[in-house]
């Protein structure tokens, strides 16, 4: 698998939190990733990374990738931002960590981290839009924040298209990634200007025929959602 630069998944938004994420979300997320940091330090001493093949690592990794427990579900508002931003920042770090591995080593871990990045980013996007809608100086904030969000999200989609097109990626992981795009792509696409969307859609077209039939349909739905997505305050 091509070595990718995953720093593009750095945090896009930040503020503070506590609503449509689970009530215990802030403490749960911080505790979960603190445990992962301890495990990561131990595994690095051993010359490896936490992985699903190790029974002692598996439970913690599955908890981290449980997006429902970590970030909850929509609707989100500005009060959710702190937890969602933290989850996005850490999920991006996970992807940076596992994205350097070559198949078949750790591609399952990279794929699951990719799916979590998209879920956390989409949730953050929705919460940040609510935050922005309540700012009296929103017009002044739009240029800088809009450019940052657009650039980061477009890079996320480009990275996903490269990841998905890799022939070494297992079929099961292609399905996981496609379903993640289908679920969360439309929310993220709202920050991409309509004139840029078709170029991003075109990146995924070659992958359609490489997928099993249900995943082909899911990828097509994802591309349709990008094209039909509404616009957030800084795009339209």
């Amino acid at each position: 698998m091509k070595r990718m630069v995953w720093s593009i998944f750095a945090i896009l938004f930040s503020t503070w939190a506590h609503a449509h994420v689970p009530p215990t979300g802030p403490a749960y997320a911080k505790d979960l990733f603190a445990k992962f940091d301890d495990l990561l330090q131990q595994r690095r001493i051993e010359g490896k990374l936490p992985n699903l093949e190790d029974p002692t690592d598996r439970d913690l990794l599955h908890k981290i990738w449980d997006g429902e427990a970590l970030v909850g579900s929509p609707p989100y508002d500005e009060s959710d931002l702190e937890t969602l931003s933290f989850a996005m920042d850490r999920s991006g770090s996970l992807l940076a960590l596992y994205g350097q591995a070559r198949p078949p080593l750790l591609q399952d871990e990279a794929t699951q981290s990719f799916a979590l990045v998209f879920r956390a980013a989409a949730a953050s996007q929705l919460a940040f839009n609510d935050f922005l809608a309540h700012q009296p100086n929103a017009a002044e904030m739009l240029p800088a924040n809009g450019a940052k969000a657009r650039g980061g999200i477009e890079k996320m989609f480009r990275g996903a298209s490269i990841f998905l097109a890799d022939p070494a990626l297992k079929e099961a992981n292609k399905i996981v990634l496609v379903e993640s795009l289908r679920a969360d792509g439309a929310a993220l696409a709202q920050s991409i200007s309509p004139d840029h969307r078709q170029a991003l859609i075109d990146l995924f077209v070659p992958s359609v025929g490489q997928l099993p039939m249900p995943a082909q349909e899911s990828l097509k739905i994802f591309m349709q959602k990008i094209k039909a997505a509404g616009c957030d305050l800084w795009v339209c």
Side-chain angles (χ1 to χ4, degrees):
M1 186 176 296
K2 304 173 181 68
R3 186 179 179 86
M4 300 181 205
V5 179
W6 296 110
S7 59
I8 60 176
F9 299 103
I11 188 170
L12 298 181
F13 324 107
S14 63
T15 303
W16 124 220
H18 198 74
H20 299 99
V21 297
T24 57
Y28 178 76
K30 290 177 182 177
D31 178 67
L32 205 57
F33 281 103
K35 290 178 180 176
F36 178 82
D37 289 341
D38 290 341
L39 179 62
L40 176 60
Q41 184 177 17
Q42 178 183 340
R43 291 291 175 262
R44 278 178 162 163
I45 292 173
E46 299 167 357
K48 57 185 181 180
L49 297 176
N51 64 88
L52 292 170
E53 293 298 317
D54 191 324
T56 60
D57 300 351
R58 193 178 302 139
D59 182 60
L60 179 60
L61 289 172
H62 280 309
K63 286 180 179 177
I64 287 175
W65 294 323
D66 183 352
E68 185 72 23
L70 193 64
V71 302
S73 58
Y76 297 103
D77 61 34
E78 61 178 297
S79 64
D80 295 309
L81 268 171
E82 183 181 355
T83 301
L84 294 176
S85 296
F86 175 78
M88 183 176 170
D89 187 31
R90 292 309 309 263
S91 61
S93 297
L94 285 177
L95 189 53
L97 184 70
Y98 290 116
Q100 305 301 319
R102 291 181 171 276
L105 300 176
L106 304 182
Q107 68 158 276
D108 294 346
E109 292 80 354
T111 303
Q112 293 294 334
S113 298
F114 216 140
L116 181 61
V117 165
F118 270 99
R119 182 159 191 167
S124 295
Q125 176 72 7
L126 295 171
F128 188 77
N129 286 345
D130 181 72
F131 163 75
L132 198 62
H134 292 90
Q135 300 308 303
N137 61 336
E140 299 173 11
M141 300 172 65
L142 288 175
N145 286 284
K148 184 178 181 180
R150 280 195 302 273
I153 291 169
E154 288 183 14
K155 288 175 183 177
M156 288 173 67
F157 282 131
R158 291 191 188 99
S161 71
I162 294 170
F163 194 86
L164 187 62
D166 196 305
L169 190 65
K170 294 185 291 189
E171 184 173 287
N173 286 330
K174 290 184 177 183
I175 293 171
V176 169
L177 182 56
V178 167
E179 292 305 321
S180 175
L181 290 168
R182 176 181 178 176
D184 299 309
L188 291 170
Q190 292 181 32
S191 288
I192 301 172
S193 57
D195 58 322
H196 284 198
R197 292 179 190 178
Q198 186 58 52
L200 292 176
I201 291 170
D202 291 343
L203 295 174
F204 290 92
V205 171
S207 294
V208 173
Q210 302 173 16
L211 298 169
M213 189 56 65
Q216 287 186 27
E217 292 306 310
S218 291
L219 188 60
K220 290 176 183 177
I221 291 171
F222 157 69
M223 293 188 290
Q224 291 167 0
K225 284 184 174 182
I226 289 184
K227 184 177 292 187
C231 299
D232 62 27
L233 293 176
W234 51 47
V235 173
C236 299

